[in-house]
Amino acid sequence: MSIYDLIFYLFATLTIVSALMVVSSDNIVRSAFYLLATFFGVSGIYVLLGADFVAVTQIMVYIGGILILLLFGVMLTSNITNVEIKKGTAKILPAVIGIGILLGAVVSVMTRTKWKIHLTEIPQTTSFELGKLLITDYVLVFELLGILLLIALIGAASMARREQE
Amino acid sequence: MQNYLIEIFGSEIVAYILATVPVLAFIVLFVLFAVWLERKVSAHMQDRLGPMRVGWHGVLQTLADFLKLLQKEDIIATANDKALFNIAPYVVFVTTLATFTMLPFTSIFIGSNADVGIFFVLAFSGAVVAGILMAGWASNNKYSLYGSLRSAAQIVSYEIPTALVVLTMIMLYGTMSLGEITIAQTSHFWNWGIFGGPELGLAKILLVPFMFVAFIILFISTLAESNRTPFDLPESESELVAGFNTEYSGIKFSMFFLSEFANMFLIGSILVIFFFGGYNSPFGYLGNLLGIEWLIPIEQLLWFLGKGMFFVFVDMWLRWTLPRVRVDQLMTICWKYLIPYAFFNLLIVGLILLI
């Protein structure tokens, strides 16, 4: 086992354990902070896969954006910390069926995909190639996403304005 | 530097971990010096002498204070969320330290010459917010919570103009790696970012005023991100005691202190790398003149630290010159002035680069 494997297992354990803690924690703010560890672990795994740009984007978007928004939401909602959170098993049959279908789908995708098992050269950097792909092959998707985000931004601004009046 | 360490230890990971040790040592030494400088600058601006007793002109005052801080009792109030309260200072410090790995101190020492460079720095300075919110919430104290929420709102808002200016500079240099940005500005000081970057010709002359605007915007927004006066609302002493670190004492408080001062150097060095040539000397090197190879990196280090320290000094200077802004003024500066200007600057620089 090389040192890279060790680091991979470290990040994998961090991700899985903290993800379990997110759903099993009593305190909703604590759950939000466990999510921090989950996002960080996932980003570490991206780094080990050689996807540097995706890893940093993960930190930028999920920790710097979504998690902060989540924390603001949790902290600014009154009495949210005193809410009794139910964690026990309630409806076990639908849950088992749902999870079973999901597991089956994931496993079938995993086994049917033709994975590239031959070693390819790990690219030194991914941002250049990613940028080129974004403005050539995926330019339509890129532009549409940009418009979608712009609409969301304008919508958010107009909603915030209406409340003020 | 890394290649040399890899040769010695035979393992990349060990070499990379060891390469961060000088950076950590640098931060601690820098903070010891910067705290003394801050006290001295503030004293001289108010016609006082400042610390004079410990060492020459009080140079060792911070060291004495630090030793005192280490001995202090680590107070944890009963109503705190203990686990989060204990982790928060380290989250803040580690995320700040992580940004330092991307800084090119000299041509031979960069923690990591990864291509994502400045993007990594932006991402981790955004992740600091999580640590600050953690500290504020776990303190279970309304002043701490207010301080941390203010700090988070401020950092998140001012990330936008910062990112826009950084985007402008990435367009100019064509790379995100801070090491390569510095290399692009070598040889003469008119190749520096503030003078329109390395490209010669008409575009360079056209770029100069817009680079100046970009520099001003980046300076203001990074100053706000580091929570310094005139943007020190998160820790405004007259309203919030000390903001999110009110409840902390001893070594944990010093962690926040370290990361705050490290942040000051970080924003100074980002400005230096983008606009003032990073570690490049404006006049050529003494090492080249004398033919001594090993002198050049030392000179580069001195130039980098000197330029960075200049901006740290400007921050301190501003602190004792300007009053604190109000919350509404803070948001007006960001959303009504900096962001539109940064956007137009981005568009115009893009057009000039296309010509």
Side-chain angles (χ1 to χ4, degrees):
Chain A
M1 199 161 79
S2 78
I3 199 157
Y4 280 102
D5 290 335
L6 206 70
I7 293 172
F8 169 76
Y9 286 117
L10 196 78
F11 278 123
T13 328
L14 178 73
T15 310
I16 294 168
V17 169
S18 57
L20 280 175
M21 295 299 279
V22 171
V23 288
S24 65
S25 172
D26 285 324
N27 189 326
I28 196 156
V29 178
R30 277 208 178 187
S31 295
F33 282 119
Y34 284 122
L35 211 54
L36 174 77
T38 314
F39 289 146
F40 188 73
V42 172
S43 145
I45 291 172
Y46 282 138
V47 171
L48 288 178
L49 288 170
D52 51 356
F53 191 80
V54 182
V56 180
T57 313
Q58 164 88 12
I59 289 178
M60 184 102 178
V61 173
Y62 283 92
I63 296 180
I66 291 175
L67 187 78
I68 304 299
L69 195 70
L70 208 82
L71 282 170
F72 260 74
V74 168
M75 284 177 179
L76 294 179
T77 314
S78 55
N79 286 333
I80 202 163
T81 46
N82 305 327
V83 176
E84 193 74 9
I85 301 168
K86 284 181 187 164
K87 300 189 304 181
T89 43
K91 295 208 167 58
I92 205 153
L93 193 66
V96 167
I97 294 169
I99 301 262
I101 291 169
L102 190 67
L103 188 71
V106 169
V107 168
S108 73
V109 166
M110 241 165 73
T111 49
R112 283 183 192 190
T113 309
K114 290 190 180 69
W115 298 101
K116 276 185 187 170
I117 37 174
H118 59 91
L119 287 171
T120 48
E121 202 182 328
I122 298 171
Q124 202 63 42
T125 162
T126 54
S127 44
F128 185 70
E129 295 296 321
L130 270 176
K132 242 175 33 185
L133 278 177
L134 273 181
I135 54 164
T136 51
D137 290 8
Y138 300 99
V139 67
L140 188 67
V141 185
F142 182 63
E143 294 287 334
L144 281 177
L145 277 177
I147 291 168
L148 183 74
L149 285 175
L150 184 67
I151 292 169
L153 205 68
I154 293 169
S158 80
M159 273 163 80
R161 205 175 178 78
R162 202 179 300 147
E163 271 173 34
Q164 217 176 40
E165 280 166 8
Chain B
M1 176 79 180
Q2 269 83 357
N3 293 337
Y4 178 65
L5 283 172
I6 290 168
E7 264 176 39
I8 295 176
F9 294 99
S11 157
E12 280 178 317
I13 303 279
V14 177
Y16 286 143
I17 290 171
L18 280 176
T20 60
V21 172
V23 180
L24 189 62
F26 164 73
I27 289 179
V28 174
L29 285 177
F30 164 75
V31 172
L32 285 180
F33 177 70
V35 173
W36 171 76
L37 189 70
E38 167 117 44
R39 296 177 70 172
K40 273 305 206 191
V41 168
S42 64
H44 283 287
M45 288 199 180
Q46 296 165 342
D47 227 354
R48 294 184 285 120
L49 284 175
M52 291 293 282
R53 297 286 170 91
V54 194
W56 178 81
H57 280 253
V59 188
L60 298 174
Q61 181 67 48
T62 344
L63 194 66
D65 286 347
F66 188 66
L67 288 175
K68 190 192 77 177
L69 262 181
L70 284 181
Q71 295 168 25
K72 286 246 171 167
E73 185 192 351
D74 182 22
I75 301 166
I76 303 174
T78 33
N80 287 348
D81 188 330
K82 282 189 190 57
L84 290 183
F85 186 79
N86 288 334
I87 295 169
Y90 303 102
V91 173
V92 172
F93 182 66
V94 166
T95 40
T96 310
L97 178 64
T99 54
F100 271 74
T101 55
M102 292 289 163
L103 297 183
F105 281 92
T106 73
S107 53
I108 57 160
F109 182 78
I110 308 178
S112 155
N113 201 5
D115 197 54
V116 281
I118 184 63
F119 191 41
F120 183 92
V121 174
L122 284 183
F124 271 86
S125 50
V128 172
V129 179
I132 289 174
L133 281 176
M134 199 189 270
W137 189 81
S139 296
N140 204 2
N141 170 339
K142 56 183 131 177
Y143 297 115
S144 301
L145 190 59
Y146 271 129
S148 69
L149 284 178
R150 276 188 186 186
S151 176
Q154 187 172 324
I155 294 175
V156 169
S157 309
Y158 277 87
E159 248 173 33
I160 303 166
T162 311
L164 285 172
V165 174
V166 165
L167 214 57
T168 318
M169 299 318 283
I170 292 172
M171 277 194 331
L172 181 69
Y173 294 114
T175 173
M176 290 195 288
S177 159
L178 292 176
E180 277 170 44
I181 286 175
T182 313
I183 290 167
Q185 304 174 62
T186 32
S187 70
H188 299 293
F189 69 86
W190 54 82
N191 284 342
W192 289 1
I194 193 98
F195 300 114
E199 277 175 70
L200 284 170
L202 183 68
K204 192 172 155 72
I205 298 161
L206 285 174
L207 274 174
V208 175
F210 300 106
M211 284 300 112
F212 191 70
V213 173
F215 166 66
I216 296 291
I217 295 172
L218 190 65
F219 181 72
I220 296 173
S221 54
T222 48
L223 189 65
E225 270 198 70
S226 69
N227 296 340
R228 293 279 306 174
T229 325
F231 304 103
D232 67 337
L233 293 146
E235 43 200 84
S236 45
E237 295 92 341
S238 45
E239 311 163 18
L240 292 178
V241 192
F244 63 87
N245 54 25
T246 303
E247 293 280 316
Y248 285 90
S249 63
I251 187 78
K252 284 178 203 147
F253 171 73
S254 64
M255 282 284 170
F256 284 121
F257 214 61
L258 275 178
S259 62
E260 193 193 319
F261 274 84
N263 240 332
M264 275 173 77
F265 185 77
L266 177 78
I267 63 167
S269 57
I270 293 294
L271 287 170
V272 165
I273 290 163
F274 276 154
F275 296 103
F276 296 96
Y279 53 69
N280 291 310
S281 155
F283 315 114
Y285 299 107
L286 201 64
N288 274 337
L289 202 68
L290 302 175
I292 309 169
E293 195 85 342
W294 52 264
L295 204 62
I296 296 171
I298 298 171
E299 276 181 67
Q300 287 173 336
L301 183 70
L302 287 178
W303 275 110
F304 186 72
L305 297 186
K307 289 176 193 171
M309 282 307 296
F310 174 73
F311 282 103
V312 171
F313 171 71
V314 172
D315 287 356
M316 291 170 181
W317 183 3
L318 283 177
R319 178 170 175 186
W320 300 104
T321 310
L322 297 174
R324 187 183 302 140
V325 296
R326 289 197 315 263
V327 178
D328 60 322
Q329 289 170 334
L330 178 85
M331 289 299 158
T332 311
I333 291 169
C334 178
W335 293 94
K336 289 191 181 162
Y337 296 100
L338 292 185
I339 292 178
Y341 288 161
F343 252 120
F344 281 119
N345 208 41
L346 177 73
L347 276 177
I348 292 168
V349 171
L351 280 176
I352 292 173
L353 288 176
L354 273 180
I355 297 168

